[in-house]
């Protein structure tokens, strides 16, 4: 039995985020898992992103959401649970955007509208990668290139997508789920990811050691191992 896996990236990341992960996944599953990529770039709301992904996705699929993509994935799981065979949430949470974060986002949006998009802050991107990762500078370069490719219009859409508290609704997501955290994630602390996993009725939870926020870039092989094992365990994909 084969399985379509719809992958949803994080803020200002494109499909290149998943390239190494998909290569590693293919080595483990062969043709049993077929990756697809959801459009989280064209809408200024989480609900709009979810609706677009659903409109373009296969009839039934497993769903992987990373960081911001995890918020969209949860919306899809709530909107169309009959179409989602499995849910993988990576380095994400159900916490709402704080008032301070909202104010900072408004500042960024106003600045981009006033002066144009000048690329992602390298200092901010460095925070998303484990400080001891041997290829940290190269991974930051990859993140910066993704942001440049996506540009100001995508940044404006994604920064306007308000992230509301989703903890209460987690109990309604009965889909078999795998929640993955990076032990040293500076952007989505472990406590937030743990709270997300605890709220899901049918969730496995795992922590990747020596890993920051950018799990698909930092540890693609470990992520592929976790995802392939989970899909095989629940029978969503068999080579």
């Amino acid at each position: 039995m084969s399985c379509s896996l719809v992958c949803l990236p994080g803020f200002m990341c494109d499909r290149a985020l998943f390239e190494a992960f998909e290569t590693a996944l293919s080595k483990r599953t062969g043709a049993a898992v077929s990756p697809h990529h959801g459009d989280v770039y064209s809408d200024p709301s989480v609900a709009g992103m979810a609706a677009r992904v659903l409109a373009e996705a296969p009839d039934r699929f497993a769903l992987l959401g990373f960081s911001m993509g995890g918020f969209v994935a949860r919306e899809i799981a709530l909107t169309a649970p009959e179409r989602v065979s499995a849910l993988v949430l990576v380095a994400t949470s159900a916490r709402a955007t704080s008032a301070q974060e909202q104010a900072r986002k408004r500042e960024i949006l106003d600045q981009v509208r006033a002066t144009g998009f000048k690329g992602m802050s390298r200092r901010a991107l460095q925070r998303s990668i484990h400080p001891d990762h041997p290829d940290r500078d190269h991974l930051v370069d990859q993140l910066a290139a993704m942001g440049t490719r996506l540009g100001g219009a995508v940044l404006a859409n994604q920064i306007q997508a308000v992230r509301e508290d989703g903890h209460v609704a987690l109990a309604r997501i009965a889909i078999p789920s795998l929640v993955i955290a990076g032990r040293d994630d500076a952007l989505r602390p472990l406590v937030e990811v743990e709270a997300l996993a605890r709220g899901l009725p049918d969730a496995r939870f795992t922590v990747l050691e020596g890993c920051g926020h950018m799990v698909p870039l930092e540890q693609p092989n470990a992520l592929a191992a976790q995802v392939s094992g989970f899909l095989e365990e629940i029978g969503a994909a068999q080579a």
Side-chain angles (χ1 to χ4, degrees), residues 11-12 41 43-45 109 112-113 117 151-161:
F11 180 72
M12 293 303 283
Y41 315 112
D43 301 277
S45 70
L109 185 57
V112 169
R113 286 171 172 168
F117 178 65
V154 172
L155 182 141
N157 277 337
Q158 293 187 344
I159 214 165
Q160 291 178 83

Side-chain angles (χ1 to χ4, degrees), residues 126-226:
Q126 287 174 334
R127 290 190 63 237
S128 67
I129 306 292
H130 194 287
D132 296 331
H133 195 289
D135 295 322
R136 189 186 193 201
D137 289 342
H138 175 63
L139 298 184
V140 170
D141 289 341
Q142 287 185 265
L143 290 172
M146 286 188 240
T148 298
R149 287 194 294 268
L150 292 174
V154 172
L155 182 141
N157 277 337
Q158 293 187 344
I159 214 165
Q160 291 178 83
V162 176
R163 304 176 193 185
E164 299 178 351
D165 189 286
H167 288 98
V168 172
L170 292 176
R172 294 163 43 206
I173 302 176
I175 298 163
S177 303
L178 171 65
V179 180
I180 299 174
R183 172 71 69 184
D184 303 303
D185 189 338
L187 303 186
R188 289 291 169 190
L190 188 58
V191 64
E192 290 186 17
V193 192
E194 285 181 314
L196 168 64
R198 285 197 305 270
L200 292 165
D202 185 9
R204 295 98 170 134
F205 178 58
T206 189
V207 179
L208 298 184
E209 301 296 335
C211 190
H213 182 65
M214 287 293 168
V215 175
L217 288 182
E218 294 183 56
Q219 295 197 16
N221 294 323
L223 179 59
Q226 291 291 333

Side-chain angles (χ1 to χ4, degrees), residues 70-84:
F71 285 76
V72 181
R74 286 190 291 104
E75 180 70 16
I76 290 170
L78 288 166
T79 303
E82 72 283 355
R83 293 182 59 187
V84 183

Side-chain angles (χ1 to χ4, degrees), residues 228-239:
S228 62
F230 169 61
L231 294 178
E232 290 170 8
E233 175 193 342
I234 66 171
Q238 297 176 359

Side-chain angles (χ1 to χ4, degrees), residues 28-94:
R28 289 180 171 275
T29 65
V33 178
S34 175
H36 299 257
H37 298 92
D39 180 354
V40 294
Y41 315 112
S42 304
D43 301 277
S45 70
V46 170
M49 294 174 187
R52 188 177 298 271
V53 171
L54 275 169
E56 298 173 353
D59 290 339
R60 188 161 170 80
F61 53 91
L63 182 60
L64 186 156
F66 165 73
S67 195
M68 182 201 74
F71 285 76
V72 181
R74 286 190 291 104
E75 180 70 16
I76 290 170
L78 288 166
T79 303
E82 72 283 355
R83 293 182 59 187
V84 183
S85 61
L87 180 63
V88 181
L89 299 172
V90 182
T92 187
S93 78

